[in-house]
Amino acid sequence: QVQLVESGGGLVQAGGSLRLSCVASTTIFSFSAMGWYRQAPGKQRELVAQMTSGGRLNYADSVKGRFTISRDNAKNTVYLQMNSLKPEDTAVYYCNARSRISSSINYWGKGTLVTVSS
């Protein structure tokens, strides 16, 4: 069973930065895409950033220019560098991996909480 473990969340002031990490229990070449989603209280989970195995990037409009997704293949790790954080970025951030076998097979981490104070 694939496991994804996130880390790096915490409390930060507005304008600050955090870097989230997601370590996969298997080679990330097993996935056609990996990404980060977030869910704020009372809201639906939304895509924040995604990277395909071919390197194509996709960002939510609300984070473009502030967040950067990257990966380290050797460490089976995906990162989310978050700069210029805003209170509205407060949410639980989840790592996601999409299987190469089927796009309907998705794996999720347990999430890491990011709180941005004003």
Side-chain angles (χ1 to χ4, degrees):
Q1 180 70 12
V2 173
Q3 291 185 328
L4 304 173
V5 180
E6 304 102 332
S7 62
L11 174 64
V12 64
Q13 288 187 332
S17 298
L18 283 174
R19 188 177 79 155
L20 305 183
S21 300
C22 171
V23 181
S25 61
T26 185
T27 172
I28 60 176
F29 292 112
S30 301
F31 311 123
S32 60
M34 293 190 72
W36 292 91
Y37 288 70
R38 68 186 180 188
Q39 187 166 18
K43 295 188 177 181
Q44 289 189 331
R45 191 173 297 189
E46 64 175 358
L47 175 67
V48 176
Q50 187 180 62
M51 174 184 286
T52 69
S53 57
R56 187 172 63 190
L57 305 177
N58 183 31
Y59 292 97
D61 288 342
S62 60
V63 307
K64 283 181 180 177
R66 300 189 298 122
F67 291 11
T68 303
I69 188 171
S70 63
R71 68 189 182 201
D72 186 329
N73 297 333
K75 295 182 178 180
N76 296 327
T77 300
V78 172
Y79 303 98
L80 184 67
Q81 178 67 43
M82 306 186 294
N83 299 327
S84 302
L85 283 160
K86 304 175 181 180
E88 51 264 43
D89 294 318
T90 295
V92 177
Y93 284 71
Y94 297 92
C95 181
N96 167 268
R98 189 171 66 203
S99 172
R100 285 188 178 275
I101 297 175
S102 170
S103 61
S104 64
I105 299 176
N106 281 273
Y107 304 101
W108 294 92
K110 293 183 179 181
T112 184
L113 177 63
V114 172
T115 304
V116 184
S117 63
S118 57

